[in-house]
Amino acid sequence: MGAGGLGCPASLYLAAAGVGRLTLADSDKVDLTNLQRQILYRAEGIGTPKVEAARSALNALNPEVEIAALQSRIDFKAAQMLVAQNDLVLDCTDNFATRHLLNRACVQHHRPLVSGAAIRFDGQVMVFDLRQPDSPCYSCLFPEDGEVEEVQCSVMGVFAPLTGIVGATQAMEALKLLAGIGESLSGKLLLLDAKKADWRTVRVKKDPACPVCATS
Ligand SMILES: [Zn+2]
């Protein structure tokens, strides 16, 4: 979900790895200001829907990957349908409303959710393996009614290589979850301070009072 700064590198690694079917959802068109970090796009593609430009770039890399391109905003119904149809969800969006829609759908359908965020010099990656009953959800960490200041890259800017690192880490976690390899970041929040080149991991527990996942 989201074919921007995080979705571009994440989908490149997934397609290159041979993940058989990818669904890309994004309502935007390629803009000149995207090219600094959204590495699937080229100057000649400005004005093209992102999901179309992304599909042709990914298929140029691996023609055998089946790519569904959805050029629309994700509402509740679309989130439910898309999550139910796919094995795993990467949240590469930049707004809390969509993040919470995806989280609710992943809780309901027990799908692993690999969430990434990058703004200015700060990056974070989280995995919510909602196949596990004791897994926290996105809302345990960032409640839906919480006071969050919405900051977006289009307004605040982001250090371009940071989006590559976060997106590639999301692809790494997604491939591990799909293949059942190793230990995922589930229950942990990975924080990267790019200015200090400092990585930290913070444990996240399921909130027993979480209105989204506690009763499911
Ligand atoms: Zn929760």
Side-chain angles (χ1 to χ4, degrees):
M1 299 290 157
L6 308 177
C8 283
S11 60
L12 260 176
Y13 280 109
L14 296 177
V19 168
R21 191 167 60 89
L22 294 173
T23 305
L24 307 175
D26 197 303
S27 60
D28 283 348
K29 291 182 175 161
V30 178
D31 184 82
L32 175 65
T33 59
N34 301 149
L35 302 184
Q36 155 252 29
R37 64 189 182 281
Q38 301 184 17
I39 54 169
L40 284 175
Y41 311 129
R42 300 292 174 261
E44 63 189 26
I46 290 170
T48 315
K50 283 186 182 177
V51 289
E52 295 298 335
R55 175 162 61 185
S56 72
L58 294 169
N59 271 149
L61 171 68
N62 186 344
E64 293 185 32
V65 176
E66 191 187 310
I67 298 167
L70 206 73
Q71 195 203 348
S72 65
R73 285 208 166 274
I74 298 303
D75 59 10
F76 178 79
K77 218 173 135 191
Q80 289 288 328
M81 187 192 71
L82 288 169
V83 168
Q85 285 171 351
N86 288 276
D87 296 324
L88 182 144
V89 178
L90 285 94
D91 180 355
C92 302
T93 65
D94 64 353
N95 70 85
F96 281 102
T98 312
R99 286 181 186 280
H100 282 296
L101 279 181
L102 290 176
N103 178 59
R104 275 190 179 266
C106 287
V107 168
Q108 196 171 336
H109 297 281
H110 305 289
R111 293 290 190 273
L113 173 64
V114 181
S115 174
I119 194 84
R120 293 181 285 242
F121 289 91
D122 297 310
Q124 59 185 42
V125 184
M126 293 155 285
V127 171
F128 306 99
D129 189 355
L130 297 159
R131 299 172 300 186
Q132 315 297 335
D134 59 343
S135 166
C137 81
Y138 186 79
S139 181
C140 291
L141 191 58
F142 302 107
E144 288 182 342
D145 55 2
E147 298 259 320
V148 286
E149 196 194 341
E150 186 114 65
V151 282
Q152 286 165 354
C153 294
S154 50
V155 183
M156 297 308 300
V158 62
F159 189 48
L162 180 62
T163 60
I165 293 166
V166 170
T169 307
Q170 286 180 270
M172 175 180 85
E173 289 302 307
L175 289 172
K176 281 163 55 190
L177 286 159
L178 289 171
I181 301 169
E183 221 178 280
S184 82
L185 260 181
S186 187
K188 286 178 238 168
L189 167 63
L190 179 64
L191 298 162
L192 169 58
D193 177 343
K195 262 189 177 166
K196 293 183 181 161
D198 180 44
W199 297 82
R200 274 192 310 143
T201 310
V202 181
R203 287 219 156 268
V204 181
K205 282 217 167 98
K206 187 182 178 96
D207 175 0
C210 174
V212 177
C213 71
T215 51
S216 68

